[in-house]
Coordinates of all heavy atoms in Angstrom, one line a residue:
M1 N -19.8 -15.8 9.9 CA -19.8 -14.8 8.7 C -19.1 -13.5 9.0 O -18.3 -12.9 8.2 CB -21.2 -14.5 8.3 CG -21.4 -14.1 6.9 SD -20.6 -15.1 5.7 CE -21.9 -15.4 4.7
E2 N -19.2 -13.1 10.2 CA -18.5 -11.8 10.8 C -17.0 -11.9 10.6 O -16.2 -11.1 10.2 CB -18.9 -11.6 12.2 CG -18.1 -10.5 12.9 CD -18.6 -9.1 12.6 OE1 -19.8 -8.9 12.4 OE2 -17.8 -8.2 12.7
L3 N -16.5 -13.1 11.0 CA -15.1 -13.4 10.9 C -14.6 -13.3 9.5 O -13.4 -12.7 9.2 CB -14.8 -14.8 11.5 CG -13.3 -15.2 11.6 CD1 -12.5 -14.1 12.4 CD2 -13.1 -16.5 12.1
L4 N -15.3 -13.7 8.5 CA -14.9 -13.8 7.1 C -14.9 -12.3 6.6 O -14.0 -11.9 5.9 CB -16.0 -14.5 6.3 CG -15.8 -16.1 6.4 CD1 -16.9 -16.7 5.5 CD2 -14.5 -16.6 5.9
H5 N -15.8 -11.5 7.1 CA -15.8 -10.1 6.7 C -14.6 -9.4 7.2 O -14.0 -8.5 6.6 CB -17.1 -9.3 7.1 CG -18.3 -9.7 6.3 ND1 -18.4 -9.5 5.0 CD2 -19.5 -10.4 6.6 CE1 -19.6 -9.9 4.5 NE2 -20.2 -10.5 5.4
R6 N -14.3 -9.7 8.5 CA -13.2 -9.1 9.1 C -11.8 -9.4 8.4 O -11.0 -8.6 8.2 CB -13.2 -9.4 10.6 CG -12.8 -8.3 11.5 CD -12.8 -8.8 12.9 NE -14.0 -8.3 13.6 CZ -14.3 -8.6 14.8 NH1 -13.7 -9.6 15.5 NH2 -15.4 -8.2 15.4
A7 N -11.8 -10.7 8.1 CA -10.6 -11.2 7.5 C -10.5 -10.6 6.1 O -9.3 -10.2 5.7 CB -10.7 -12.8 7.3
A8 N -11.5 -10.4 5.4 CA -11.5 -9.8 4.0 C -11.0 -8.4 4.2 O -10.2 -7.9 3.3 CB -12.9 -9.9 3.4
G9 N -11.5 -7.7 5.2 CA -11.0 -6.3 5.4 C -9.6 -6.2 5.7 O -8.8 -5.4 5.2
V10 N -9.1 -7.1 6.5 CA -7.6 -7.1 6.9 C -6.8 -7.5 5.7 O -5.8 -6.8 5.4 CB -7.4 -8.1 8.0 CG1 -5.8 -8.4 8.2 CG2 -8.0 -7.7 9.3
L11 N -7.2 -8.4 4.9 CA -6.5 -8.8 3.6 C -6.6 -7.7 2.7 O -5.5 -7.3 2.0 CB -7.1 -10.0 2.9 CG -6.8 -11.3 3.7 CD1 -7.6 -12.5 3.0 CD2 -5.3 -11.6 3.8
G12 N -7.6 -6.9 2.5 CA -7.7 -5.8 1.7 C -6.8 -4.6 2.1 O -6.1 -4.0 1.3
S13 N -6.6 -4.4 3.4 CA -5.7 -3.4 3.9 C -4.3 -3.8 3.7 O -3.5 -2.9 3.3 CB -5.9 -3.2 5.4 OG -7.2 -2.7 5.7
V14 N -3.9 -5.0 3.9 CA -2.6 -5.6 3.6 C -2.2 -5.5 2.2 O -1.2 -5.0 1.8 CB -2.4 -7.0 4.2 CG1 -1.2 -7.7 3.6 CG2 -2.5 -7.1 5.7
S15 N -3.3 -5.8 1.3 CA -3.0 -5.6 -0.1 C -2.7 -4.2 -0.5 O -1.8 -3.9 -1.2 CB -4.2 -6.2 -0.8 OG -4.1 -6.0 -2.3
M16 N -3.5 -3.3 0.0 CA -3.3 -1.9 -0.3 C -1.9 -1.4 0.1 O -1.2 -0.7 -0.5 CB -4.3 -1.0 0.4 CG -5.7 -0.9 -0.5 SD -7.0 0.0 0.3 CE -6.2 1.5 0.9
Y17 N -1.5 -1.9 1.4 CA -0.2 -1.5 2.0 C 0.9 -2.0 1.0 O 1.8 -1.3 0.7 CB -0.1 -2.1 3.4 CG 1.4 -2.0 3.9 CD1 1.8 -0.7 4.4 CD2 2.2 -3.0 4.0 CE1 3.1 -0.6 4.9 CE2 3.5 -2.9 4.5 CZ 3.9 -1.6 4.9 OH 5.2 -1.6 5.4
L18 N 0.8 -3.3 0.7 CA 1.9 -3.9 -0.2 C 2.0 -3.2 -1.5 O 3.0 -3.0 -2.1 CB 1.6 -5.4 -0.3 CG 2.0 -6.2 0.9 CD1 1.6 -7.6 0.7 CD2 3.4 -6.1 1.4
K19 N 0.9 -2.8 -2.0 CA 0.9 -2.1 -3.4 C 1.6 -0.8 -3.3 O 2.3 -0.4 -4.1 CB -0.6 -2.0 -3.9 CG -1.3 -3.2 -4.5 CD -2.5 -2.9 -5.0 CE -3.2 -4.2 -5.5 NZ -4.5 -4.0 -6.1
G20 N 1.3 -0.1 -2.1 CA 2.0 1.1 -1.9 C 3.5 1.0 -1.7 O 4.3 1.7 -2.2
V21 N 3.9 -0.1 -0.9 CA 5.3 -0.3 -0.6 C 6.1 -0.7 -2.0 O 7.2 -0.2 -2.2 CB 5.5 -1.4 0.4 CG1 6.9 -1.9 0.5 CG2 5.0 -0.8 1.7
L22 N 5.4 -1.5 -2.8 CA 6.1 -2.0 -3.9 C 5.9 -1.1 -5.2 O 6.5 -1.3 -6.2 CB 5.4 -3.4 -4.4 CG 5.6 -4.4 -3.4 CD1 4.9 -5.8 -3.8 CD2 7.1 -4.8 -3.2
G23 N 5.1 0.0 -5.0 CA 5.0 1.0 -6.1 C 4.0 0.6 -7.2 O 3.8 1.3 -8.2
E24 N 3.1 -0.4 -6.9 CA 2.2 -0.9 -7.9 C 1.1 0.2 -8.1 O 0.5 0.3 -9.1 CB 1.6 -2.1 -7.4 CG 0.7 -2.8 -8.5 CD 0.1 -4.1 -8.1 OE1 0.8 -4.9 -7.2 OE2 -1.0 -4.5 -8.5
D25 N 0.8 1.1 -7.1 CA -0.1 2.0 -7.2 C 0.3 3.4 -7.8 O -0.4 4.5 -7.7 CB -0.8 2.3 -5.9 CG 0.0 2.8 -4.8 OD1 1.3 2.8 -5.1 OD2 -0.4 3.2 -3.7
A26 N 1.6 3.4 -8.2 CA 2.2 4.7 -8.7 C 1.4 5.2 -9.9 O 1.3 6.5 -9.9 CB 3.7 4.4 -9.1
Y27 N 0.9 4.5 -10.8 CA 0.2 5.1 -11.9 C -1.0 5.7 -11.5 O -1.4 6.8 -12.0 CB 0.0 4.0 -13.1 CG -0.7 4.6 -14.3 CD1 0.0 5.4 -15.1 CD2 -2.0 4.2 -14.5 CE1 -0.6 5.9 -16.2 CE2 -2.6 4.8 -15.8 CZ -1.9 5.6 -16.5 OH -2.5 6.1 -17.7
E28 N -1.8 5.1 -10.6 CA -3.0 5.6 -10.0 C -2.8 7.0 -9.3 O -3.5 8.0 -9.5 CB -3.7 4.7 -9.2 CG -4.4 3.5 -9.8 CD -3.5 2.4 -10.1 OE1 -2.3 2.3 -9.5 OE2 -3.7 1.6 -11.0
K29 N -1.7 7.0 -8.6 CA -1.3 8.3 -7.9 C -0.9 9.4 -8.9 O -1.2 10.5 -8.8 CB 0.0 8.0 -7.0 CG -0.4 7.3 -5.7 CD 0.7 7.1 -4.9 CE 0.4 6.3 -3.6 NZ 1.6 6.1 -2.7
Y30 N -0.2 8.9 -10.0 CA 0.2 9.8 -11.1 C -1.1 10.4 -11.7 O -1.2 11.7 -11.9 CB 1.0 9.2 -12.1 CG 1.0 9.9 -13.5 CD1 1.7 11.0 -13.7 CD2 0.3 9.4 -14.5 CE1 1.7 11.6 -14.9 CE2 0.3 10.0 -15.7 CZ 1.0 11.2 -15.9 OH 1.0 11.8 -17.1
L31 N -2.1 9.7 -12.0 CA -3.3 10.1 -12.5 C -4.1 11.1 -11.6 O -4.6 12.1 -12.1 CB -4.3 8.9 -12.9 CG -3.8 8.0 -14.2 CD1 -4.6 7.0 -14.4 CD2 -3.6 8.9 -15.4
D32 N -4.1 10.7 -10.4 CA -4.8 11.6 -9.4 C -4.1 13.0 -9.3 O -4.7 14.0 -9.4 CB -4.7 11.0 -8.0 CG -5.7 9.8 -7.8 OD1 -6.6 9.7 -8.7 OD2 -5.5 9.0 -6.9
H33 N -2.7 12.9 -9.3 CA -1.9 14.1 -9.4 C -2.2 14.9 -10.6 O -2.4 16.2 -10.7 CB -0.5 13.9 -9.2 CG 0.4 15.1 -9.3 ND1 0.5 16.0 -8.3 CD2 1.2 15.6 -10.3 CE1 1.4 17.0 -8.7 NE2 1.7 16.7 -9.9
H34 N -2.2 14.3 -11.8 CA -2.4 14.9 -13.1 C -3.8 15.5 -13.1 O -3.9 16.8 -13.6 CB -2.2 13.9 -14.2 CG -2.1 14.4 -15.6 ND1 -3.3 14.7 -16.3 CD2 -1.2 14.8 -16.3 CE1 -2.9 15.2 -17.5 NE2 -1.6 15.3 -17.4
R35 N -4.8 15.0 -12.7 CA -6.1 15.5 -12.6 C -6.2 16.7 -11.6 O -6.9 17.7 -12.0 CB -7.1 14.4 -12.3 CG -7.5 13.6 -13.4 CD -8.7 12.6 -13.0 NE -8.4 11.3 -13.4 CZ -8.1 10.2 -12.6 NH1 -8.1 10.4 -11.4 NH2 -7.7 9.1 -13.1
G36 N -5.6 16.5 -10.5 CA -5.7 17.5 -9.5 C -5.0 18.8 -9.7 O -5.3 19.8 -9.1
T37 N -3.9 18.7 -10.5 CA -3.1 20.0 -10.8 C -3.7 20.7 -12.0 O -3.1 21.8 -12.3 CB -1.7 19.6 -10.9 OG1 -1.5 18.7 -12.1 CG2 -1.0 19.0 -9.7
G38 N -4.6 20.1 -12.7 CA -5.3 20.9 -13.8 C -4.3 20.9 -15.0 O -4.3 21.9 -15.9
C39 N -3.4 19.9 -15.2 CA -2.6 19.9 -16.5 C -3.5 19.9 -17.7 O -4.5 19.2 -17.7 CB -1.9 18.6 -16.4 SG -0.6 18.5 -15.1
T40 N -3.0 20.6 -18.7 CA -3.7 20.7 -19.9 C -3.3 19.6 -20.9 O -4.0 19.4 -21.9 CB -3.6 22.1 -20.6 OG1 -2.1 22.4 -20.8 CG2 -4.2 23.2 -19.6
T41 N -2.1 19.1 -20.7 CA -1.6 18.0 -21.6 C -2.4 16.6 -21.2 O -2.7 16.5 -20.1 CB -0.1 17.9 -21.5 OG1 0.2 17.5 -20.1 CG2 0.6 19.1 -22.0
P42 N -2.5 15.8 -22.2 CA -3.1 14.5 -21.9 C -2.2 13.6 -21.0 O -1.0 13.8 -21.1 CB -3.3 13.8 -23.2 CG -2.7 14.7 -24.3 CD -2.2 15.9 -23.6
A43 N -2.7 12.9 -20.1 CA -1.9 12.0 -19.2 C -1.2 11.0 -20.0 O -1.7 10.6 -21.1 CB -2.9 11.4 -18.2
K44 N -0.1 10.5 -19.5 CA 0.7 9.5 -20.1 C -0.1 8.1 -20.1 O -0.9 8.0 -19.2 CB 2.0 9.2 -19.3 CG 3.0 10.3 -19.5 CD 4.2 10.1 -18.7 CE 5.0 11.3 -18.5 NZ 6.2 11.1 -17.7
T45 N 0.1 7.3 -21.0 CA -0.5 6.0 -20.9 C 0.3 5.1 -19.9 O 1.3 5.5 -19.5 CB -0.4 5.2 -22.3 OG1 1.1 5.0 -22.6 CG2 -1.0 6.0 -23.4
V46 N -0.3 4.1 -19.6 CA 0.3 3.2 -18.6 C 1.7 2.8 -19.1 O 2.7 2.9 -18.3 CB -0.5 1.9 -18.4 CG1 0.2 0.9 -17.3 CG2 -1.8 2.2 -17.7
K47 N 1.9 2.3 -20.3 CA 3.1 2.0 -20.8 C 4.2 3.2 -20.8 O 5.4 3.1 -20.4 CB 3.0 1.5 -22.3 CG 4.2 0.9 -22.8 CD 3.9 0.4 -24.2 CE 5.2 -0.3 -24.9 NZ 5.0 -0.9 -26.1
E48 N 3.7 4.4 -21.2 CA 4.6 5.6 -21.2 C 5.0 5.9 -19.7 O 6.2 6.2 -19.5 CB 3.9 6.8 -21.8 CG 3.6 6.7 -23.3 CD 2.7 7.7 -23.8 OE1 1.8 8.3 -23.0 OE2 2.8 8.1 -25.0
F49 N 4.1 5.8 -18.8 CA 4.4 6.2 -17.4 C 5.5 5.2 -16.9 O 6.5 5.7 -16.3 CB 3.2 6.0 -16.5 CG 3.4 6.1 -15.1 CD1 3.6 7.3 -14.5 CD2 3.6 5.0 -14.3 CE1 3.9 7.4 -13.2 CE2 3.9 5.1 -12.9 CZ 4.0 6.4 -12.3
W50 N 5.3 3.9 -17.1 CA 6.3 2.9 -16.5 C 7.6 3.0 -17.3 O 8.7 2.9 -16.6 CB 5.8 1.5 -16.6 CG 4.7 1.3 -15.5 CD1 3.4 1.2 -15.7 CD2 5.0 1.4 -14.1 NE1 2.7 1.1 -14.5 CE2 3.7 1.2 -13.4 CE3 6.0 1.5 -13.3 CZ2 3.5 1.1 -12.1 CZ3 5.9 1.4 -11.8 CH2 4.6 1.2 -11.3
R51 N 7.7 3.3 -18.5 CA 8.9 3.5 -19.3 C 9.7 4.7 -18.8 O 10.8 4.6 -18.4 CB 8.6 3.6 -20.8 CG 9.8 4.0 -21.6 CD 11.0 3.1 -21.6 NE 10.9 1.7 -21.2 CZ 11.9 1.0 -20.5 NH1 13.1 1.6 -20.3 NH2 11.7 -0.2 -20.1
D52 N 8.9 5.9 -18.6 CA 9.5 7.1 -18.0 C 10.1 6.8 -16.6 O 11.2 7.2 -16.3 CB 8.5 8.2 -18.0 CG 9.1 9.5 -17.6 OD1 10.1 9.9 -18.1 OD2 8.4 10.1 -16.6
R53 N 9.3 6.1 -15.8 CA 9.8 5.8 -14.5 C 11.0 5.0 -14.4 O 11.9 5.3 -13.7 CB 8.6 5.2 -13.8 CG 8.8 4.9 -12.2 CD 7.7 4.3 -11.5 NE 8.0 3.8 -10.2 CZ 7.5 4.2 -9.1 NH1 6.7 5.2 -9.0 NH2 7.8 3.7 -8.0
M54 N 11.0 4.0 -15.2 CA 12.2 3.1 -15.2 C 13.4 3.9 -15.8 O 14.6 3.7 -15.3 CB 12.0 1.8 -16.1 CG 11.0 0.9 -15.6 SD 11.4 0.2 -14.1 CE 10.1 0.7 -13.0
D55 N 13.2 4.7 -16.8 CA 14.3 5.5 -17.3 C 14.9 6.5 -16.3 O 16.1 6.6 -16.1 CB 13.9 6.3 -18.5 CG 13.7 5.5 -19.7 OD1 14.1 4.3 -19.7 OD2 13.0 6.0 -20.8
R56 N 14.0 7.0 -15.4 CA 14.5 7.9 -14.4 C 15.2 7.2 -13.3 O 16.3 7.6 -12.9 CB 13.3 8.7 -13.8 CG 12.9 9.9 -14.6 CD 11.8 10.8 -14.0 NE 10.5 10.1 -14.1 CZ 9.7 9.7 -13.2 NH1 10.1 9.9 -11.9 NH2 8.5 9.1 -13.4
Q57 N 14.8 6.0 -13.0 CA 15.4 5.2 -11.9 C 16.8 4.7 -12.5 O 17.8 4.7 -11.6 CB 14.6 4.1 -11.6 CG 13.4 4.3 -10.7 CD 12.6 3.1 -10.3 OE1 12.7 2.1 -11.0 NE2 11.7 3.3 -9.3
E58 N 16.9 4.4 -13.8 CA 18.2 4.0 -14.3 C 19.2 5.2 -14.3 O 20.4 4.9 -14.1 CB 18.0 3.4 -15.7 CG 17.1 2.2 -15.7 CD 17.8 0.9 -16.0 OE1 18.9 1.1 -16.6 OE2 17.2 -0.1 -15.7
G59 N 18.7 6.3 -14.6 CA 19.5 7.5 -14.6 C 19.9 8.1 -13.3 O 20.9 8.6 -13.1
N60 N 19.1 7.7 -12.2 CA 19.4 8.2 -10.8 C 19.4 6.9 -9.9 O 18.5 6.8 -9.2 CB 18.5 9.2 -10.4 CG 18.5 10.4 -11.3 OD1 19.5 11.0 -11.5 ND2 17.3 10.8 -11.8
P61 N 20.4 6.0 -9.9 CA 20.3 4.8 -9.1 C 20.6 5.0 -7.6 O 21.0 4.0 -7.0 CB 21.3 3.9 -9.8 CG 22.3 4.8 -10.3 CD 21.6 6.0 -10.7
E62 N 20.5 6.1 -7.1 CA 20.9 6.4 -5.7 C 20.2 5.6 -4.6 O 20.8 5.2 -3.6 CB 20.7 7.9 -5.4 CG 21.5 8.8 -6.3 CD 20.9 10.2 -6.4 OE1 19.8 10.4 -5.8 OE2 21.5 11.0 -7.1
G63 N 18.8 5.3 -4.8 CA 18.1 4.6 -3.8 C 18.2 3.1 -3.8 O 17.4 2.5 -3.1
R64 N 19.1 2.6 -4.7 CA 19.1 1.2 -4.7 C 20.5 0.6 -4.1 O 21.4 1.4 -4.1 CB 19.0 0.6 -6.1 CG 17.7 1.0 -6.7 CD 17.5 0.5 -8.1 NE 18.5 1.0 -9.0 CZ 18.4 1.0 -10.3 NH1 17.4 0.7 -10.9 NH2 19.5 1.5 -10.9
C65 N 20.5 -0.6 -3.7 CA 21.7 -1.1 -3.0 C 22.7 -1.6 -4.0 O 23.9 -1.7 -3.7 CB 21.3 -2.2 -2.0 SG 20.6 -3.6 -2.9
C66 N 22.3 -2.0 -5.2 CA 23.2 -2.7 -6.2 C 23.3 -1.8 -7.5 O 22.5 -1.3 -8.0 CB 22.7 -4.0 -6.5 SG 22.5 -5.0 -5.0

């Protein structure tokens, strides 16, 4: 049983790492930042956030290889 708990912990850590590398946790980070800075405007929806992010990446393609 101990081995299963350890394996689950390792898989959870790997999952968090991959989400960070792939940017999947970007919306959660945005919400944390939005709450932490005391913004008075409502936070963007998930759809608005990803559309804005994609638009910015298309406008500034410096970090991509192709």
